[in-house]
Amino acid sequence: MRRYVLRRVAAMLLTLLFVSLLVFMVVRVLPGDPALIMLGIEASPDAVAKLREGLGLNRPVPVQYAEWAGRAVLGDLGRSIQYDVPVAGLIVSRLSVTLPLTLMAAALMVAAAIPLGVFAATRHRRWGDYAAMTLSQLGIAVPGFWAGLLLILLFSVKLGWFHAGGFDGWGQGVGHALKSLLLPAVALGLFQFAVLARTTRSALLEVLREEYVKTARAKGVAEGAVIFRHALKNAMIPILTVAGVQLGQLMAGSIILESVFYLPGLGRLALGAISARDLPVVQGVVLFVASAIVVINATVDLLYGVLDPRIRYE
């Protein structure tokens, strides 16, 4: 177990090293000069050159990367060009919106997808199965931003139950804040819900064909116990794998939905930083999201042994 954890930590570090190098190189081949963007097109060449020198953009790229990576290891992701504040603090402040939004979308996804998948599998090739799979297919086909616009039209414009967008902060009360995040969370988790429901159905159908399930039924075990105590538990590994991958995708996918619902989260911060060529913020946000995804995947790998004691890590 210890050797496996050490190998997973080493793989995580290598992945983050590769991601950081890739992000650092990609943002530097984007068109536009950050110094010129900050000063405006009417700025003098001398002023632009002086600002480039101050930002360290004239130094060799490998030197810039080594300095940035060294500071990042210590938690210093640089200083925002646009806001003139530490990038790490900026990311933490925006997480107060993105993190609860992601967790709410994940909770809704799991709470709806697994029961629907179980419902479809236990009614294989009957009307319930076809209806559930049609619903999941609809979730896959509708883009998240389009679903968000439809939700705004229905629940905000027509019914007036929710605000069309924006976030007043947690100071207005937890209930008010969660209500502001509910529609974005539904739109954000729609695609992931559909995929997880289909995965649950497929995994459970495969387990239900196993001999030990047939034996349990032959012994007179109640159908509910067969499904939830024996079959679903053993079908959880592929479900957990997909859910873990989707949790990371939800955080990355919030970039578009935060713009649709005008939420001041990590996604809008990243989009604004890309438009303003705020390179430290772009690098910091991407590195943070990549780190979160890597940690989630490693945690999912470690949970395999908890769900199935037959799995050994050595």
Side-chain angles (χ1 to χ4, degrees), residues 108-120 193 196-197 200-201 204 228 232 236 239-240 243:
L108 292 173
M109 171 189 74
V110 172
I114 292 180
L116 186 67
V118 172
F119 177 81
F193 146 76
L196 189 61
T200 302
R201 173 184 177 272
L204 189 56
F228 294 101
L232 185 58
M236 283 303 293
I239 297 172
L240 180 65

Side-chain angles (χ1 to χ4, degrees), residues 66-285:
E67 291 178 352
W68 173 74
R71 292 195 303 268
V73 171
L74 301 175
D76 181 5
L77 297 175
R79 198 169 185 86
S80 168
I81 298 173
Q82 187 179 10
Y83 299 101
D84 195 26
V85 296
V87 173
L90 206 54
I91 291 175
V92 170
S93 66
R94 299 303 181 96
L95 274 179
S96 64
V97 176
T98 300
L99 188 58
L101 172 63
T102 303
L103 293 178
M104 185 183 291
L108 292 173
M109 171 189 74
V110 172
I114 292 180
L116 186 67
V118 172
F119 177 81
T122 54
R123 289 157 180 80
H124 185 47
R125 294 182 179 176
R126 286 184 279 169
W127 70 266
D129 184 17
Y130 297 132
M133 289 304 97
T134 301
L135 181 63
S136 66
Q137 188 63 45
L138 187 63
I140 293 175
V142 177
F145 72 90
W146 183 247
L149 293 175
L150 293 178
L151 290 173
I152 291 174
L153 285 175
L154 177 60
F155 293 103
S156 300
V157 178
K158 296 291 184 184
L159 300 177
W161 293 352
F162 297 88
H163 294 299
F167 184 74
D168 298 328
W170 294 95
Q172 302 294 322
V174 175
H176 181 79
L178 292 179
K179 185 179 178 182
S180 300
L181 297 178
L182 183 56
L183 291 186
V186 171
L188 180 61
L190 184 61
F191 176 83
Q192 318 299 344
F193 146 76
V195 173
L196 189 61
R198 299 178 79 86
T199 302
T200 302
R201 173 184 177 272
S202 300
L204 189 56
L205 278 176
E206 186 173 344
V207 174
L208 288 174
R209 298 189 184 103
E210 296 288 340
E211 290 300 323
Y212 70 87
V213 173
K214 297 177 182 176
T215 302
R217 283 173 170 160
K219 288 182 177 179
V221 178
E223 186 64 16
V226 171
I227 299 298
F228 294 101
R229 188 184 304 168
H230 299 286
L232 185 58
K233 181 180 178 181
N234 290 312
M236 283 303 293
I237 287 182
I239 297 172
L240 180 65
T241 302
V242 173
V245 172
Q246 289 177 324
L247 184 57
Q249 292 176 343
L250 286 174
M251 181 170 286
S254 66
I255 291 176
I256 302 299
L257 265 300
E258 286 179 2
S259 298
V260 172
F261 286 91
Y262 203 68
L263 299 175
L266 210 55
R268 277 188 60 203
L269 175 66
L271 285 180
I274 292 171
S275 302
R277 291 281 283 148
D278 194 343
L279 302 186
V281 174
V282 175
Q283 292 168 174
V285 170

Side-chain angles (χ1 to χ4, degrees), residues 15-77:
T15 302
L16 291 177
L17 178 63
F18 176 75
V19 170
S20 66
L21 184 60
L22 183 65
V23 170
F24 192 86
M25 298 304 294
V26 167
V27 296
R28 273 155 181 76
V29 301
L30 293 175
D33 185 338
L36 183 61
I37 292 174
M38 289 180 65
L39 296 176
I41 58 175
E42 297 181 354
S44 67
D46 290 343
V48 174
K50 186 176 181 180
L51 184 56
R52 285 182 57 81
E53 181 67 26
L55 295 174
L57 299 176
N58 289 333
R59 284 176 289 177
V61 173
V63 174
Q64 294 182 43
Y65 172 74
E67 291 178 352
W68 173 74
R71 292 195 303 268
V73 171
L74 301 175
D76 181 5
L77 297 175

